[in-house]
Amino acid sequence: MAENKDGILGPLKGKIGPIVGSSWRGIPYIKTKPVRKKPPTEKELENRHIFAFTQGWLQPIRDFLKLGFKNYSQTNYGVNAAKSFMYKYALTKDGMNSKIDPSNMQISYGDLPLPENIQMEWIKTEENVAEVTLSWTIPKNLSTNDFDLHDQAMVLVYNLTDGSAYGVLHDAFRKAGKQRVEIDYSPDHEYHVWIAFLSADRERQSHSLYMGVITENKEVAD
């Protein structure tokens, strides 16, 4: 992206397509971006693959990450913060065979306490529809200054087989003790489930809890 701070007739700074505006010793000039003639190296191709792979993994759940990683740090938040977390904790780099471990990935990061005894159940309600239910109890050993009964649940059910995401960004109150999510269900797909909590003013988030993966006739909790 180029800048033109001195108006349409002023010097150009930055890039527009193949055109690059810059300056040298105070003298503005424009040049074309050099065209690379050498083919990319194997390492460069691997890095491009990893970049595209991680971007593709995060893209369907961007709305969750924008809320969940809102306060990751003063300089890094939202999807970029989630990607940094992924690279550090959930991504195993192995070139074209790189993998992401969902159980090591967070969809939310913060200091808001989670409820106790979070449980997951799911049932098929129709041939191609299922209902995932998360339930919990309120911690008794924490003061109400640590949490609020009107904190709201954020639940993500992520079908990594086809890249579809289901869930709620902020729905059931902490005091309700339960959150249901309906999903389109296919028995040969894997659905990974996370839960987190957001404060009513959206200024605090909890760490997310990975609940496991659901498949036909079984539930595997982390």
Side-chain angles (χ1 to χ4, degrees):
M1 182 176 179
E3 295 180 345
N4 196 348
K5 295 182 178 180
D6 298 319
I8 193 169
L9 299 179
L12 188 71
K13 183 179 181 181
K15 183 175 68 172
I16 301 179
I19 305 299
V20 180
S22 187
S23 65
W24 181 74
R25 293 186 177 181
I27 302 173
Y29 66 92
I30 293 176
K31 64 181 181 180
T32 59
K33 183 179 178 182
V35 178
R36 176 170 177 167
K37 297 181 180 179
K38 292 183 179 180
T41 65
E42 182 177 350
K43 188 64 176 178
E44 288 173 329
L45 290 174
E46 290 178 353
N47 287 337
R48 292 179 187 178
H49 169 76
I50 293 171
F51 178 83
F53 172 53
T54 54
Q55 287 289 104
W57 200 99
L58 296 170
Q59 179 63 33
I61 59 173
R62 289 178 63 88
D63 290 341
F64 292 88
L65 302 177
K66 287 178 182 178
L67 277 177
F69 279 82
K70 177 181 177 181
N71 297 318
Y72 187 70
S73 75
Q74 291 185 344
T75 58
N76 195 11
Y77 46 86
V79 180
N80 288 337
K83 188 170 184 179
S84 296
F85 185 96
M86 171 187 282
Y87 269 64
K88 188 173 183 179
Y89 298 106
L91 175 66
T92 300
K93 288 187 177 181
D94 185 20
M96 300 297 183
N97 298 313
S98 296
K99 297 180 180 179
I100 296 167
D101 184 349
S103 67
N104 289 333
M105 185 59 191
Q106 297 271 356
I107 64 163
S108 181
Y109 190 96
D111 62 358
L112 188 68
L114 283 167
E116 292 180 343
N117 193 33
I118 302 176
Q119 302 290 326
M120 177 175 72
E121 297 178 346
W122 73 280
I123 59 171
K124 288 176 66 177
T125 56
E126 299 178 29
E127 182 178 358
N128 296 313
V129 179
E131 184 179 85
V132 182
T133 301
L134 283 296
S135 61
W136 58 85
T137 57
I138 300 172
K140 296 180 179 179
N141 61 339
L142 294 175
S143 73
T144 55
N145 292 327
D146 294 313
F147 65 90
D148 190 283
L149 294 178
H150 292 90
D151 297 335
Q152 291 177 281
M154 177 168 70
V155 175
L156 170 65
V157 182
Y158 194 1
N159 181 352
L160 287 176
T161 306
D162 66 8
S164 56
Y166 308 86
V168 291
L169 292 173
H170 37 76
D171 194 6
F173 292 128
R174 185 189 292 262
K175 66 180 182 179
K178 185 178 293 186
Q179 175 70 63
R180 292 187 176 93
V181 174
E182 188 175 85
I183 64 173
D184 295 331
Y185 183 74
S186 178
D188 57 345
H189 290 190
E190 290 190 351
Y191 301 81
H192 296 262
V193 185
W194 292 261
I195 184 172
F197 277 78
L198 308 175
S199 63
D201 61 5
R202 307 292 178 259
E203 292 303 315
R204 294 180 68 195
Q205 302 81 31
S206 73
H207 275 47
S208 59
L209 180 65
Y210 177 71
M211 299 302 299
V213 55
I214 57 175
T215 56
E216 182 73 1
N217 297 324
K218 71 174 182 178
E219 172 186 328
V220 181
D222 185 44

